[in-house]
Amino acid sequence: MIDVDELKKHYSVFRREPGLKNSLKALFFRKKTEVKAVDGLSFHIAEGKRVGFLGPNGAGKTTTLKMLSGLLYPSSGKVLVDGHLPYKREARFLKKIILVMGQKQQLLWDLPPLETLELNRAIYEVPMPVFRKRLHALTELLDIGPQLRTPTRQLSLGERMKCELAAGLIHGPKLLFLDEPTIGLDVSMQQTIREFIRSYNEKEGATLILTSHDMDDVEALCPRILVIDKGRLLFDGSVAQLVAQVKPEKRIALRFEGNSLPENLDSYGRVVATGAGEAILQLGLEKVSEVLSQLLARFPVKDLTVENPPLEEVMSELFSKHTLAENEMAEHALAEHALTENERAENEMAERETPKHEVTAKAP
Amino acid sequence: MWRYGKLFWIQLKASLLLSMQYRADFFVDAVISMFWAATALAPLWVVYGEKVQGQIPGWGLGEAMLVVGCFVFLQTVLEGAIQPSLQTVIEHIRKGTLDFVLLKPADAQFLVSTARFQPWKASSFLASMAIFAVAFARIEVWPSFGNLARGAFLLLLAIGLLYSLWIWVVSAAFVVVKVDNLTFLLGSIFDVGRWPISIFRGFFRLLFTFVIPTAFMTTFPAQALLGVLTYGQLALVVVCTVIFAVVSRWVWLRSIRRYTSASS
């Protein structure tokens, strides 16, 4: 469905230093710098899959999404989406996709969402019976009957997002690009949106690419994740693989009989949270089975669950490792540079000395 | 074609719904735009008034009123249809929501150009028709069907010219983002169109004929209505409109290509 090979997007931006003097200077002389928003991404996504793009701010997630949907021309590399070159923005391609952005909206602000749906029906040339059927299904699934007839500006953020999804899906796209779809929503609304997205994917067999800051979104929705940082791919695989690779630890959530906690619990692992008769231990993967049997044998355990450490923690570990590795590389490069400086100085000295000998040699 | 007709109607309907949501605003705006249309005549009363006793060479008061009629008509189209839609493009660019328009399987220029209308401007359309009627009553010669058809055709071309000019301004928004001053400047220059071109000489006459062709937009249609427009002049307007349209389409497509959308 999606083939991306060595995809790059480099921008030229003008850099301006702060302060009045620099601003005046920048009016006439501007410094151009190159920003590598996406810097050599390669991946393949099969039809019907749910894939999450993860990465910190400015990692290149949205830029990648925009290149996949055809909004941006790649600087170089190959991108093929369902047999189309996205940047050509052919009508046949555009009818297959949808881009939903949590921070931007396409609904007409002062009119009920139904008007936007009606407009999209005409733009996407959806036959009336199909439109009615889809509208009915979307209204049921998203529970937005009354909201569709209320002016958008009077809707809550969550209701607006639901209508936004309805407006995006009325033409039955095969490929969904969702950019931070749950941003700013409360927990239960996030849950609703996630459930809906999952059921749409399962029922329609649509391919789904999601970017989010919210690890819960990605964990709940995407069996496969691509971690991007500074425009490059850091990881490609499942959440479990990511955890195993970056932070091979597990969390054991324990509930004991009564409200008190056993003493020296920290000798079994790192205690990351405690409550009345409850505690969460985090420990290395290799120790889990041993510690579990010890805990069960020694304490009145009422209930226990073993789970992965939170994705946030794993991600911050991954990024700090990445930054550390980069810093090391930079230091190494600096050291090499310093060496060549020294070498150059030595060479220069040697050069200066050599002619002297020659001169003295030639003098007589 | 049929599909675009339908899209046009749906967008127009949305604008109608929008403007009728605020009933009081709707009526007040209608009265105000009627008032502005009437004030367009004021400078003529000054020039042709008893105290100044002025004359524009070749143009009596009735004939000059025809120019004002064309001016008010075009101003109605500009403020009621062209400007509001294209103003939304500038908004889209600033907010980065043009992404949604560009991802629609329909021509983006068409979608943005028909995005917003201000239906209450219909009242100043009626005012322009009234000005035409009074002007002809003063001249005491009613136009033949041929002259009416030629006049209407030229007004149609004038809308094309005006639209092309505005597309250029909007395209500038892709580069400089804030183009409010530019739209204001163009609006002010368009104001020149209330006068027959013969009041200008030399540089300004050339400027308002070929660079910002207000002469083609108001003077020529008035001349067509009066039956004094030559076929040469008519051909000149057609050629000019085609050039403006082609260039504006080219500028738009180029602007879209360099659009990289506001950062997320």
Side-chain angles (χ1 to χ4, degrees), chain B residues 9-10 17 31 58 60 135 154 156 162 164 196 199 211 225 245 253 258:
Chain B
W9 164 240
I10 290 173
L17 288 174
V31 172
L154 276 171
L156 215 61
L162 206 51
S164 302
I199 70 164
V211 185
L225 287 170
L253 290 177
R258 58 169 289 155

Side-chain angles (χ1 to χ4, degrees), chain B residues 104-126:
Chain B
K104 294 269 157 46
D107 186 69
Q109 188 179 351
F110 176 85
L111 286 180
V112 296
S113 302
T114 53
R116 180 67 74 84
F117 299 93
Q118 292 188 332
W120 59 75
K121 277 283 164 193
S123 66
S124 75
F125 168 76
L126 293 179

Side-chain angles (χ1 to χ4, degrees), chain B residues 239-256:
Chain B
V239 171
C240 186
T241 310
V242 170
I243 292 172
F244 267 61
V246 169
V247 173
S248 77
R249 178 69 182 172
W250 179 78
V251 168
W252 169 264
L253 290 177
R254 263 195 79 87
S255 307
I256 289 295

